[in-house]
Amino acid sequence: MNDTRKVVIELDHVHKWFDDFHVLKDICLSVREGERIVVVGPSGSGKSTLVRCINHLEAHNQGRIVVNGIELTEDLKRIDEVRREVGMVFQQFNLFPHMTVLENCTLAPMWVRKMPQKEAEDLARSYLERVRIPEQADKFPGQMSGGQQQRVAIARALCMNPKIMLFDEPTSALDPEMIKEVLDVMVDLADGGMTMICISHEMGFARRVADRVIFMDEGEIIEIKKPDEFFENPENERTKLFLSQILED
Amino acid sequence: MSDHFVRTQSSPTLLPPSSRLGVLQWMRENLFSSWANGLFTVAGLYLLTLAFPPIFNWAFLSAVFTGQDGSVCRADGVGACWAFIDAKFNQFVYGRYPAGEQWRVDVTALLGIAGLAPLLVPNRLPKQWFVGFLLLVFPFLAFVLLYGGTAGLVVVETSDWGGLMVTLVVAVTGIAASLPLGVFLALGRRSKMPVIRILSIMFIELWRGVPLITVLFMASVMLPLFLPEGMSFDKLLRALIGVALFSSAYMAEVVRGGLASVPVGQYEAAKALGLTYPQMMSRIVLPQALTTVIPGIVNNFIGLFKDTTLVLVIGLFDLLGIVQSNFTDPAWISPQTSTTGYVFAAFVFWIFCFSMSRYSIYMERRLETDTQR
């Protein structure tokens, strides 16, 4: 392994507690530019918390997290700087229901990046095109299907031109027939060279795009492997048990 | 039907059968859907027939509409004494505001309406200009116009203000001040900073725990005791501040309910996009929170509007006060004067409160259809 690409996310012995519950235990991980990581693990394993620590939606209690060269501390300026470069897509979409799709997408570029409205709208339309819903720009989120909403959420995050994208179970709240349209957009994004960390149990997606698959359980990273090895040849007993459970059908 | 079935033709969409439509059907569903409901319908109609004719008779058929003084209302069997309202109408609206200067009140009202109207219905006018005018320019204009003392206008002391004018001044000031103050207090109460949170909680609980009538008494009787000799505030101004602070505490609790109803995912999405706290609150959280609690906010406005009648206890004559004070006018004493006066005052209050209520329903519908939630 002599990867010369820049390290954009570095987690160094990170610990986190919710009250006295130890959710993240000694997490060490570095992600290089353009790398695609898929995180899997049972619910409550801390994978969501891990991803949310990267843009400081959760604060870690111990260890260092450096994103894009900026170490995350309680300093609000640094947090905002990191968030500007890190896009996030949520399980429940979290679109702003009182705004149209276009307004959802132009909000952050206009208010955070101080982009003129016209430019922000052009940018938003180009990303809506990329997620294949340019015709829905003037609708409200409540008028769209779940799959469409999630694609808007991806476009909204992309409008900030982030260097890193975080996906927190983006297809778990979707009806089965809509999962593919969202995954297609994510594959497209991965092929474009975006640095991505995805929590996802879509194993086809993981095989197709992941550079590395991380298995987490009880707050620890149990295994990190290339997808083929991960699925064909898991070593840890917990990994084997988990894979046998999700691959049953 | 057999186990195996494949549809080859789609079934047509039909209109409902005629028995599901029409007046009879409506009555069957809404008035006589069961024995008990039928009974209530009949009983209700019976009560209406009992109550309506006497009210109608009092208010219109045997009422007195014109007359120079109370003698026309003193006859036997006479109904409402509308002549009293007609004769005193000017006083009910302006109080003792000098007749020659009353145009200033009218102009103030028209300016207020002109500033507010474009904000009430959807249109393409630049909203921020009207908001700016109402919040920054109008209060000073209104003060100059109503009080005078500059621009060649004669000073009209607030002790001469009265009637509907005082009611509206107190209510509009209270409404305009309590919403922004309430929003800040609600945000303060949810703040992570302990000093701000504790101060907000103390403020809210203090004002909520005291009856408005006490606040008004304190403002007019006790406050001067604490002020240095010779220094005094205007009585109306003290009442305005008291009412505004009092209602902002109530407003804060309503807004807090709205803030709690915004899903945590909305905050997270806003933060993840890099929005700052003020941006997140003003663009994402408050628009949704305030929309949710429109009924509660308007409920407070209506309560505040009616509570303005309490300024009577500190010697300010609002609409109700001025109506009441005219009952003792010897020229108009009659058995019907007070009843008519109270009905009139009630009707005026009802018009304002009902309008606010209908407008709030209209707003709710509009915002709901906007977002299709």
Side-chain angles (χ1 to χ4, degrees):
Chain A
M1 291 288 276
N2 50 18
D3 201 331
T4 54
R5 288 178 299 179
K6 197 169 75 176
V7 173
V8 286
I9 303 174
E10 172 101 66
L11 288 90
D12 186 17
H13 299 286
V14 170
H15 290 263
K16 175 164 180 65
W17 289 265
F18 284 133
D19 293 323
D20 55 1
F21 178 60
H22 201 171
V23 263
L24 291 182
K25 300 172 186 163
D26 200 35
I27 303 289
C28 293
L29 174 69
S30 49
V31 181
R32 289 177 186 279
E33 196 164 28
E35 243 192 319
R36 279 91 57 167
I37 311 272
V38 169
V39 186
V40 298
S43 74
S45 60
K47 52 191 193 304
S48 197
T49 311
L50 170 69
V51 166
R52 291 155 60 89
C53 278
I54 294 172
N55 65 354
H56 206 267
L57 284 183
E58 304 282 359
H60 58 289
N61 303 120
Q62 226 179 70
R64 285 173 73 232
I65 300 180
V66 181
V67 182
N68 217 5
I70 302 162
E71 183 177 352
L72 280 170
T73 59
E74 288 302 315
D75 182 1
L76 288 177
K77 252 183 80 184
R78 291 187 185 196
I79 296 171
D80 281 341
E81 253 173 86
V82 166
R83 283 175 180 165
R84 258 174 263 160
E85 306 302 331
V86 179
M88 183 155 189
V89 176
F90 300 85
Q91 184 178 0
Q92 297 297 340
F93 330 136
N94 295 348
L95 291 178
F96 306 130
H98 59 301
M99 295 178 175
T100 64
V101 165
L102 195 65
E103 286 166 342
N104 263 281
C105 294
T106 56
L107 179 85
M110 280 171 63
W111 289 90
V112 181
R113 293 236 193 268
K114 314 288 179 204
M115 196 183 274
Q117 182 171 359
K118 180 77 182 58
E119 205 178 312
E121 282 179 4
D122 291 345
L123 180 78
R125 285 186 199 281
S126 74
Y127 277 117
L128 288 174
E129 191 121 1
R130 182 148 176 211
V131 300
R132 290 156 217 163
I133 32 175
E135 72 286 355
Q136 312 273 10
D138 296 317
K139 282 199 181 173
F140 284 93
Q143 297 166 306
M144 311 174 83
S145 73
Q148 290 173 324
Q149 289 193 46
Q150 193 61 297
R151 285 186 282 153
V152 172
I154 295 174
R156 177 177 72 176
L158 290 176
C159 280
M160 284 293 281
N161 287 325
K163 298 203 168 60
I164 299 158
M165 283 287 283
L166 308 174
F167 292 84
D168 188 357
E169 304 208 34
T171 56
S172 303
L174 296 176
D175 290 333
E177 75 269 26
M178 292 169 189
I179 291 176
K180 189 174 176 302
E181 64 188 49
V182 172
L183 288 181
D184 284 348
V185 168
M186 291 169 64
V187 170
D188 180 43
L189 204 56
D191 291 347
M194 176 68 78
T195 312
M196 293 164 72
I197 299 187
C198 314
I199 302 174
S200 176
H201 290 149
E202 298 297 328
M203 293 307 150
F205 171 76
R207 278 174 190 272
R208 164 83 172 74
V209 307
D211 295 314
R212 288 188 285 169
V213 178
I214 295 179
F215 174 70
M216 283 187 75
D217 194 15
E218 292 177 4
E220 297 170 305
I221 294 183
I222 306 288
E223 254 184 275
I224 305 183
K225 278 189 167 164
K226 290 196 183 307
D228 291 342
E229 284 175 53
F230 179 82
F231 291 113
E232 311 307 331
N233 191 16
E235 283 168 69
N236 190 292
E237 283 309 311
R238 283 193 266 176
T239 320
K240 284 180 194 165
L241 179 67
F242 177 74
L243 282 178
S244 72
Q245 281 163 342
I246 62 164
L247 296 177
E248 222 162 45
D249 45 27
Chain B
M1 203 187 279
S2 63
D3 287 350
H4 184 81
F5 170 75
V6 177
R7 184 175 290 286
T8 50
Q9 278 181 314
S10 44
S11 37
T13 312
L14 301 174
L15 285 173
S18 57
S19 68
R20 309 291 307 167
L21 305 163
V23 180
L24 275 179
Q25 177 59 26
W26 181 87
M27 283 177 65
R28 205 180 302 148
E29 272 178 15
N30 291 288
L31 299 178
F32 301 99
S33 58
S34 70
W35 275 110
N37 279 353
L39 214 62
F40 279 123
T41 303
V42 172
L45 285 174
Y46 177 67
L47 284 176
L48 275 181
T49 58
L50 282 188
F52 186 69
I55 293 175
F56 190 74
N57 181 39
W58 178 83
F60 298 105
L61 297 182
S62 50
V64 177
F65 290 92
T66 50
Q68 288 307 306
D69 58 37
S71 59
V72 283
C73 301
R74 287 184 209 123
D76 275 342
V78 158
C81 184
W82 298 125
F84 167 66
I85 307 293
D86 188 41
K88 303 283 188 184
F89 193 78
N90 189 272
Q91 207 186 346
F92 290 170
V93 175
Y94 301 101
R96 286 188 288 148
Y97 210 88
E101 306 292 328
Q102 286 174 2
W103 61 270
R104 284 154 56 177
V105 180
D106 298 342
V107 170
T108 311
L110 284 176
L111 279 174
I113 292 167
L116 191 60
L119 299 174
L120 297 182
V121 286
N123 57 56
R124 297 188 167 277
L125 294 170
K127 280 204 162 64
Q128 58 273 31
W129 284 90
F130 288 95
V131 174
F133 169 74
L134 278 182
L135 292 180
L136 303 174
V137 184
F138 181 69
F140 296 100
L141 263 181
F143 177 78
V144 168
L145 274 167
L146 294 178
Y147 186 75
T150 45
L153 294 170
V154 188
V155 172
V156 181
E157 290 298 336
T158 53
S159 51
D160 287 340
W161 300 15
L164 184 61
M165 172 196 163
V166 159
T167 299
L168 287 178
V169 166
V170 176
V172 170
T173 315
I175 286 171
S178 68
L179 188 57
L181 273 178
V183 168
F184 281 117
L185 283 170
L187 292 177
R189 193 168 184 161
R190 288 167 64 91
S191 167
K192 279 188 198 133
M193 287 174 269
V195 177
I196 292 180
R197 187 174 61 241
I198 289 168
L199 284 178
S200 304
I201 292 176
M202 277 168 54
F203 182 93
I204 292 169
E205 296 304 337
L206 176 76
W207 288 92
R208 275 208 312 165
V210 181
L212 178 58
I213 206 161
T214 318
V215 173
L216 291 172
F217 271 131
M218 297 257 284
S220 86
V221 182
M222 286 186 63
L223 195 64
L225 296 180
F226 299 121
L227 291 174
E229 195 79 31
M231 184 179 170
S232 80
F233 280 118
D234 184 82
K235 199 198 285 185
L236 179 68
L237 182 64
R238 277 180 272 156
L240 286 179
I241 294 172
V243 166
L245 294 182
F246 180 83
S247 48
S248 66
Y250 277 86
M251 197 58 75
E253 289 300 279
V254 173
V255 174
R256 188 162 70 99
L259 289 176
S261 77
V262 176
V264 70
Q266 294 287 310
Y267 292 83
E268 289 179 348
K271 285 183 198 162
L273 284 169
L275 297 186
T276 60
Y277 178 86
Q279 288 171 339
M280 170 174 82
M281 282 300 165
S282 64
R283 301 276 141 191
I284 307 301
V285 178
L286 281 173
Q288 296 184 56
L290 294 180
T291 310
T292 320
V293 293
I294 286 176
I297 291 175
V298 175
N299 195 25
N300 269 13
F301 286 171
I302 289 175
L304 169 65
F305 191 87
K306 294 189 293 185
D307 280 349
T308 57
T309 51
L310 287 174
V311 297
L312 183 65
V313 302
I314 57 167
L316 291 172
F317 287 94
D318 75 316
L319 175 66
L320 183 65
I322 212 123
V323 169
Q324 260 179 328
S325 71
N326 272 293
F327 294 165
T328 50
D329 179 355
W332 282 97
I333 287 182
S334 84
Q336 293 296 342
T337 305
S338 61
T339 318
T340 310
Y342 282 129
V343 167
F344 169 74
F347 183 69
V348 174
F349 276 102
W350 181 79
I351 290 284
F352 278 98
C353 296
F354 185 65
S355 312
M356 284 194 264
S357 156
R358 294 316 296 180
Y359 183 69
S360 114
I361 291 173
Y362 161 78
M363 275 293 281
E364 278 168 55
R365 292 236 178 90
R366 209 182 94 205
L367 292 170
E368 223 165 70
T369 44
D370 258 16
T371 56
Q372 297 276 313
R373 265 195 292 189

